[in-house]
Amino acid sequence: MEGFTRTEIKTSGARIVTVHGGKGPPVLLMHGNPFTHLSWHKFAPRLAQEFTVVTTDLRGYGDSEKVPGGEDHSGYSFRAMAQDQVEVMAALGFGRFHARQSSTSFRNIICSTTSRRPGPRRRITGSS
């Protein structure tokens, strides 16, 4: 995406492809299944006029690392994928951020992590 920086951030669970740009309050845009960060290509540039926009390829999607799932598939649990996103945002310097997902299942991902973490909550909005 033009005007955005592409990086790879190593979290405690996977290497996550991250694209970010813009200025303002941080907003994390998460794609749904079976998409990638590119699903936000029409919205991200407009949002970047007022927000610092962060989009990622979730663990196992796009160019992000495909880690072993394990016998119980916990390597791809909502909790594991949410932890990646929280660590990506922390690596970019954001302890607090807005989160937007393109599928209702991702509300569960971020809620599952933020409800078990001390400190400020993140704002979560969604669409389906």
Side-chain angles (χ1 to χ4, degrees), residues 20-53:
H20 58 94
K23 287 190 175 180
V27 61
L28 171 64
L29 303 178
M30 295 173 287
H31 63 80
N33 181 14
F35 305 106
T36 69
H37 75 275
L38 293 174
S39 63
W40 294 102
H41 77 278
K42 290 184 179 180
F43 301 97
R46 286 186 269 167
L47 286 170
Q49 295 171 7
E50 297 183 38
F51 295 92
T52 299
V53 175

Side-chain angles (χ1 to χ4, degrees), residues 103-122:
S103 66
T104 54
S105 63
F106 254 99
R107 177 176 295 268
N108 298 333
I109 291 175
I110 292 298
C111 285
S112 73
T113 296
T114 60
S115 66
R116 290 169 176 79
R117 293 176 59 88
R121 298 283 185 246
R122 283 101 173 138

Side-chain angles (χ1 to χ4, degrees), residues 3-127:
F4 285 74
T5 302
R6 183 185 190 277
T7 60
E8 295 183 1
I9 296 176
K10 179 67 177 155
T11 68
S12 60
R15 179 190 43 79
I16 303 298
V17 168
T18 304
V19 178
H20 58 94
K23 287 190 175 180
V27 61
L28 171 64
L29 303 178
M30 295 173 287
H31 63 80
N33 181 14
F35 305 106
T36 69
H37 75 275
L38 293 174
S39 63
W40 294 102
H41 77 278
K42 290 184 179 180
F43 301 97
R46 286 186 269 167
L47 286 170
Q49 295 171 7
E50 297 183 38
F51 295 92
T52 299
V53 175
V54 179
T55 66
T56 64
D57 283 347
L58 301 171
R59 153 192 311 218
Y61 291 83
D63 291 330
S64 286
E65 186 175 7
K66 282 75 172 162
V67 299
E71 286 186 27
D72 62 355
H73 308 287
S74 62
Y76 288 90
S77 69
F78 283 165
R79 184 170 293 155
M81 291 193 292
Q83 187 62 40
D84 290 338
Q85 301 308 300
V86 170
E87 290 180 29
V88 162
M89 295 303 282
L92 294 173
F94 304 121
R96 292 177 51 101
F97 56 90
H98 298 275
R100 173 80 178 178
Q101 79 284 349
S102 62
S103 66
T104 54
S105 63
F106 254 99
R107 177 176 295 268
N108 298 333
I109 291 175
I110 292 298
C111 285
S112 73
T113 296
T114 60
S115 66
R116 290 169 176 79
R117 293 176 59 88
R121 298 283 185 246
R122 283 101 173 138
R123 179 174 302 235
I124 303 164
T125 58
S127 64

